[in-house]
Each structure stands twice: as structure tokens, then as C-alpha cells.
Amino acid sequence: MSWDATLAELAAHRDRARAMGGPDRLAAHRGSGKLDARGRIDALLDPGSFREIGTLVGAEVAADGIVTGSGRIDGAPVLVGAEDFTSAAGTIGSGSNAKRYRIAELAVRDKIPLVMLLEGAGFRPGKQGGRSPVDLIAQARCSGLVPTVAAVLGPSAGHGALVAPVCDFRIMSNAGAIFTAGPPVVAESTGEHIDKADLGGPKVAVASGVIHNVAPDDASVLADIRRYLSYFPSSAYSYPPDAAGGDTGPRATGELLDIVPRDSRRSYDMRAVLDVIFDSPRRFEVAPGYGPAIICALAHLGGHPVAVVANQPRAGAGAIDTAAADKAAHFITVADSFHLPLIFLADNPGMLPGSRSERDGVLRAGARMFAAQTMAETVKLHLTVRKAYGFGSMVMSLLGFDGQSATFGYPGAGLGAMSAAALSRAAKADADLAQSLRDDELRASLSSAENFGFDELIDPRETRDALLDALRRGLASRAQAAQPVRRTAIWP
């Protein structure tokens, strides 16, 4: 046999794999407004950088229902897997399971991020069994070592759907839906008749915390993945890359005097504070629709990528509920795993009280958030903006001997076990005692500073410069080679 004949045979096999489910199924898929699996990879990666792995796996099913390989995002290598819904509904056979395992294995070996693009129906009926490695084992082993991202771009069910919650960051398009089992199985098992959107569409998946972010369509989701990864190093063995150019120097933040009301009972939007402090208003917020009492955002300060955990007074006065604490705990752990400095901006009346909050497990969630922040080994900075009461101050990293590089407060910030108003009600205080408690509250930050409870009280106009100087000092302590933190995994 000549080389011409041999290579022609290889080309024919490749062509069959790249044809995916065939022209009719591809046309129907694209007609629904979605990209196909290969189109998604092309949109995610730098042009021309994709190198496929396992093209010929799956004789009768093109690529065995998943396209896998490596490529680059902004020049940095990544591994990617894209379920192909046009080929056997993106189901998982023995070959595709092996491919999924392989790219996760390579991500850890080569110390580069893993991105999974999901639209599939789980394991293929009758195609699994016996003793063989399951892909989720390798995916779980990525946790805390390399950044992992999952995008749900259509219906994702069963085993394949478990990929998403194992990943650090989960994003969904408006066409996405994720569930343990799809509507036909639900109807057969429970008698409940429900459509995909109501079972696991964006509204359900965001409210449950399974999905962090939602974007309108495939292209928007893939662009957001590129943005998200731009804040992270390739692995826990390296440091986040600094941003090039932009407004990275010191500057006064006098605008904060107009944004932050002196009266702690008045609301304001913490996002406006972030706009002033950080290099650019262009941040990447994680899970904005879940636990809105805390903002979790990736930003730059002085060109350095940072992770911001900020109370939001516009959401229940900033009281920290179960969802907010759970969200923040996961975000803190991800940031710490990949050496992003943590900046806490506190303005909360404490953990959210009440019977519903207790039934939701607010103490468990608060303890999880506290454990995450106190175990964090990265640079930690804290600023109390107006108030931080009780356990709400501790979860926001305002506690002596907790490893912070700097703790700051604004003059007039309220501190203590609870607010003066709440303490007055609890103590059934008369007018004189209530006024005395209020006076003490107004002096709380000064009293704390006099006893070295803060490293420094600062003028709001000094905020950016104080944080930037402390950040640069903290970053100076880094070793030349980064190492993973002492933790086995990032809990879903």
C-alpha cells in the first residue's frame, strides 16, 4: 500500500469524525441558534490553535460524541472537551469516557486549565459496565490544582451533568438546562410532568447555586470563559498574570465621600465603590444572581488580579444569608487555590437572623465561609466601610491574628456584637442608655484603632492607595515558585 492510499484512508476517517451527526442534524442544531461542538471550540480558542485528541475514537459514532483536544486562550494553553449533541445526543460511551478522562489527566499533568462544554444526555444505554476508570475521578483530581470551567449550552443530564458542579466556575446559556435526569425519566419515576426549562433551566440552576453565571447565547458564554480565565494562572504552581497597561497607579478616591452615606442606615450600591477603587469598572462578577448580599468579583488593583468579597447594602442591608455565605466560601477557596489576593470590603449588620435563616442553615454556611477565609494562605486585605457586627465581621476577615496583610477601617464605622439599636431593644434600654449606646457606636472604630484593632483608620479618599500599598507589600513576600495550598480539593 502506498503512502497516498494510507493517507487517503486516514483523511476519510477524519472526515467522517468531523462531519459529526451529519448535515441534517447539524443544520437543525444550528437552526436553533446554537453553535455545534466544533464551532464552540473554534469560538473559545485562539484562531488556528486547536489540536484534536482522539479524533477517530468511536467507530459508528463520530468522535464518540465528544470533541477533545488542546488549544490556546490569549496565548495560554488549555484543554477542552465539547459534547456533540448531533452525535448520539452527546451521550457517553466507553471511548468518550476515556477521552474525557484523558484530557482531565493531561490538565493535571501539564498544569493547564480544563474547559468542558456540555450538551449531552449522560451515559449511553448499554454501553457502560465493568471495571474501568470513570472520567469524574480525573476531573475531581483537577480540583485546586488547575482552573476548571464548565459551560452548559443545551440540555445536560445524568452523569455528564455532574461535570458542572465539580468545576470551579459554571456558566450557562439561555438555551441551557441541567438536571439529574430529564423530563421523560422524571415523568416515569415520579409522575411529575415538567419541561426542561422548569426542571433545570437558568432560573432554577442559578437559584439552586448549581450555575454561577448566565449569558444570552453560545458566543457570549465562550467570551465570558475567556474573560474569567484571564484572571487566573495556568495552575496552582504559578501566580496570576498581571494585566498590561491601563490605570494601575495610585490615585485619590474622593468620589467615595459622595457614594458612601455617613448614616449607616442609608443604603448605597457597593458596586459603585468597586468602580472607584479598582483599576477599571470592567470586573468579572461570579454568581451575581445567587446570594446577592455578597458581591464576589474578579478585578485588578495596580494591574494585579484580585478576588473581591464585598457586602452589598442594597440586598437586605448586607445581612449575610446562607446563599451569600456559601457563594463566598466557594469563591474564597477558588481564589486562594490559585493565589489571587483576597480583598474584603465589609458593610453588614451581621448574619441574617430569623427562623427561616436558621432553617436554611445560616450558621453552617457562615462557619464554612469563616473556615474558608481563615484557612486562606493568599494575601488578605480588609476594609470596614461602615459597619461589621458579630460573626458578620469574622467571616469578612476582621479578626485579629487571622493572617491579614492589612486591616483598615473608615472613621465612624460601627463594630461590636450588634448594632446600638439592636442592643437597646435587647436590653430594653431607656432613652439615656440608648443614646449612650449610640454614642459608643459612633466612636467604635476610633476605640478599636486606639487598641490596635485596625492597622489604621483611613480617610475614604485614601482607600485605593492604602489597599494598593498593602497589596504590593503582601505580594513582595511571594516565593519565586508557587505551590498548591495545603488542601485536597475545592468543595462544590
Side-chain angles (χ1 to χ4, degrees), residues 9-340:
E9 182 181 17
L10 174 61
H13 282 291
R14 284 178 167 178
D15 287 345
R16 280 196 294 272
R18 290 168 181 165
M20 295 181 277
D24 292 343
R25 288 181 180 174
L26 283 171
H29 189 84
R30 295 166 184 160
S32 67
K34 295 185 285 188
L35 298 172
D36 60 62
R38 293 179 182 277
R40 287 166 177 167
I41 289 175
D42 288 343
L44 174 69
L45 301 178
D46 295 347
S49 68
F50 181 57
R51 177 67 64 176
E52 193 163 349
I53 297 171
T55 310
L56 305 187
V57 173
E60 72 279 5
V61 178
D64 211 39
I66 186 168
V67 182
T68 55
S70 62
R72 293 182 178 273
I73 293 179
D74 293 331
V78 298
L79 283 150
V80 61
E83 294 178 336
D84 175 16
F85 198 75
T86 71
S87 298
T91 51
I92 305 169
S94 59
S96 49
N97 175 72
K99 290 170 70 174
R100 297 156 77 102
Y101 190 100
R102 179 61 170 157
I103 57 173
E105 178 184 55
L106 287 173
V108 173
R109 182 195 180 282
D110 296 341
K111 300 181 176 64
I112 59 177
L114 175 65
V115 179
M116 296 296 293
L117 309 178
L118 306 179
E119 185 178 16
F123 267 117
R124 203 169 297 153
K127 292 294 184 180
Q128 70 272 18
R131 184 177 176 85
S132 61
V134 175
D135 64 308
L136 285 175
I137 295 175
Q139 299 229 351
R141 288 173 180 163
C142 293
S143 183
L145 296 178
V146 297
T148 54
V149 176
V152 180
L153 301 167
S156 180
H159 180 91
L162 288 170
V163 170
V166 171
C167 289
D168 305 336
F169 176 62
R170 290 95 68 176
I171 186 168
M172 173 184 278
S173 71
N174 284 337
I178 187 168
F179 24 64
T180 303
V185 177
V186 171
E188 179 67 26
S189 302
T190 69
E192 181 185 12
H193 295 277
I194 188 170
D195 64 22
K196 292 176 183 177
D198 289 336
L199 183 60
K203 289 182 179 179
V204 177
V206 169
S208 69
V210 172
I211 293 296
H212 294 129
N213 288 38
V214 176
D217 52 30
D218 287 12
S220 301
V221 167
L222 300 169
D224 278 353
I225 292 173
R226 290 177 64 95
R227 281 189 60 207
Y228 174 85
L229 287 175
S230 71
Y231 292 90
F232 287 84
S234 290
S235 75
Y237 295 88
S238 54
Y239 292 116
D242 287 352
D247 176 19
T248 59
R251 56 177 160 78
T253 50
E255 305 98 311
L256 296 180
L257 296 177
D258 296 320
I259 294 170
V260 180
R262 180 64 189 85
D263 184 350
S264 65
R265 294 167 294 185
R266 288 178 56 198
S267 180
Y268 68 97
D269 189 351
M270 181 62 81
R271 290 183 178 89
V273 174
L274 305 188
D275 289 345
V276 172
I277 293 174
F278 296 100
D279 292 354
S280 162
R282 192 171 182 268
R283 301 177 303 277
F284 191 95
E285 192 167 338
V286 174
Y290 182 71
I294 290 181
I295 296 169
C296 294
L298 301 167
H300 288 98
L301 181 61
H304 306 292
V306 295
V308 182
V309 180
N311 298 130
Q312 173 58 294
R314 278 197 171 178
I320 302 170
D321 62 2
T322 302
D326 271 337
K327 174 176 79 171
H330 184 266
F331 181 75
I332 290 165
T333 308
V334 171
D336 184 43
S337 294
F338 300 108
H339 315 297
L340 271 73

